[in-house]
């Protein structure tokens, strides 16, 4: 039986991964596994759904294990598999196993050839996936600078819930809680609070750009934005000539927004215009649903292996 164990099925990312696996690997049985020990009874589109707890039985006979929960649940799942005779493909969406010597960074949506097979596939950070795709499409590009606006959903459900509560509290003239972001994010922008995310994006992007057609490594900064969902990137590229549109959606008229791209696959680009103060450079505005992007790459890796 072709079983895929999805760890972290209860997370925001897990929901998108489940849908992508169902669509792209239709002959497989997706076993829903929570990030904790206990079994979870929930619902999906009005139907009851049971998510088993994370233990040895939940990973039995799985040909692939997708890690979409927390870093802690990913490490625990790996520890269980190390003690087991079962050796499935591990697709890690949390980067918790990135330091393992057998792990390889993978990004089917931007890879120019066959990726290096490995027992642990680390799916690249969505911002790295977006930038690698766009920079490779910018033929002849030289220097580049990217300002990345990260959504609250980068921190999972806790981040989304804290942004919602902060908004309600501020509108009620209450002091907003700051447990997740360490500051008021609602009606605000936060710099310097995403250093770890920044380093991850740089590391993954450098790896992706290190193979295939040449493309510049940009200088980048990550800003935490008060947006529930969807990455947005303001990208400045010098010397770009032809632009390869394959796999990219160029918005006509109004620039794309995170709200418009929520639940959509692909990468949308708009507001492409020449820099008025630097004639050889262009500005572009890029938006994508990060969970859809990561889920699509995860499903491609599972399909490739099963």
């Amino acid at each position: 039986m072709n079983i895929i164990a999805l760890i972290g099925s209860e997370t925001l990312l897990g929901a998108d991964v489940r849908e992508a696996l169902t669509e792209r690997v239709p002959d497989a049985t997706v076993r829903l596994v929570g990030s904790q020990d206990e079994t979870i009874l929930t619902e999906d589109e009005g139907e009851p759904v049971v998510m088993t707890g994370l233990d040895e039985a939940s990973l039995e006979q799985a040909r692939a294990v997708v890690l979409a929960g927390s870093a802690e649940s990913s490490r625990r799942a790996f520890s269980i598999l190390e003690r087991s005779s079962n050796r499935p493909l591990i697709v890690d969406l949390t980067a918790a196993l990135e330091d393992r010597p057998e792990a390889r960074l993978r990004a089917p949506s931007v890879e120019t050839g066959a990726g290096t097979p490995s027992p642990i596939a680390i799916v690249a950070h969505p911002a790295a996936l977006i930038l690698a795709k766009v920079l490779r499409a910018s033929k002849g590009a030289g220097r580049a600078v990217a300002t990345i606006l990260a959504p609250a959903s980068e921190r999972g459900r806790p981040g989304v819930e804290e942004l919602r509560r902060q908004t309600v509290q501020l509108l009620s003239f209450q002091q907003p809680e700051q447990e997740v972001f360490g500051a008021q994010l609602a009606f605000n922008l936060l710099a310097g609070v995403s250093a770890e995310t920044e380093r991850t994006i740089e590391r993954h992007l450098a790896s992706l750009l290190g193979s295939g057609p040449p493309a510049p490594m940009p200088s980048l900064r990550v800003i935490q934005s008060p947006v529930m969902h969807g990455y947005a990137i303001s990208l400045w590229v010098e010397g770009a000539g032809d632009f390869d549109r394959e796999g990219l959606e160029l918005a006509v008229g109004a620039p794309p927004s995170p709200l418009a791209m929520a639940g959509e696959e692909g990468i949308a680009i708009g507001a492409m215009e020449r820099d008025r103060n630097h004639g050889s450079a262009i500005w572009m505005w890029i938006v994508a649903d990060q969970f859809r992007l990561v889920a699509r790459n995860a499903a491609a890796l599972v399909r490739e292996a099963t």
Side-chain angles (χ1 to χ4, degrees), residues 31-111:
R31 181 184 292 162
L32 304 181
V33 184
S35 301
Q36 306 299 325
D37 292 340
E38 67 273 9
T39 296
I40 300 172
L41 177 61
T42 183
E43 62 90 23
D44 181 47
E45 297 182 350
E47 296 295 325
V49 174
V50 176
M51 298 181 186
T52 63
L54 177 54
D55 55 20
E56 290 82 357
S58 66
L59 303 181
E60 282 182 356
Q61 298 182 319
R63 294 187 62 183
V65 176
V66 181
L67 307 177
S70 64
E72 181 182 358
S73 67
S74 295
R75 287 189 284 267
R76 184 175 174 203
F78 181 73
S79 176
I80 292 172
L81 289 170
E82 273 194 312
R83 301 192 301 267
S84 169
S85 59
N86 186 28
R87 290 291 183 268
L89 168 68
I90 299 174
V91 180
D92 183 8
L93 313 185
T94 68
L97 306 181
E98 190 174 0
D99 292 338
R100 300 288 309 181
E102 65 271 38
R104 297 293 181 271
L105 189 72
R106 294 295 308 274
S109 64
V110 299
E111 290 171 358

Side-chain angles (χ1 to χ4, degrees), residues 157-170 174-186 190:
R157 290 189 191 277
V160 171
E161 281 301 307
E162 180 163 291
L163 177 56
R164 182 189 65 80
R165 286 194 296 269
Q166 282 190 356
T167 303
V168 172
Q169 288 161 352
L170 286 167
Q174 300 174 13
Q175 182 66 29
E177 59 185 79
Q178 302 175 5
E179 182 178 344
V180 175
F181 299 105
Q184 178 189 320
L185 178 61
L190 301 176

Side-chain angles (χ1 to χ4, degrees), residues 131-156:
L131 285 170
K133 184 72 173 178
V134 174
L135 288 167
R136 280 186 178 161
S138 305
K139 305 299 183 182
R143 293 181 301 167
V145 179
T147 301
I148 303 167
L149 301 179
S153 56
E154 168 77 15
R155 311 288 186 98

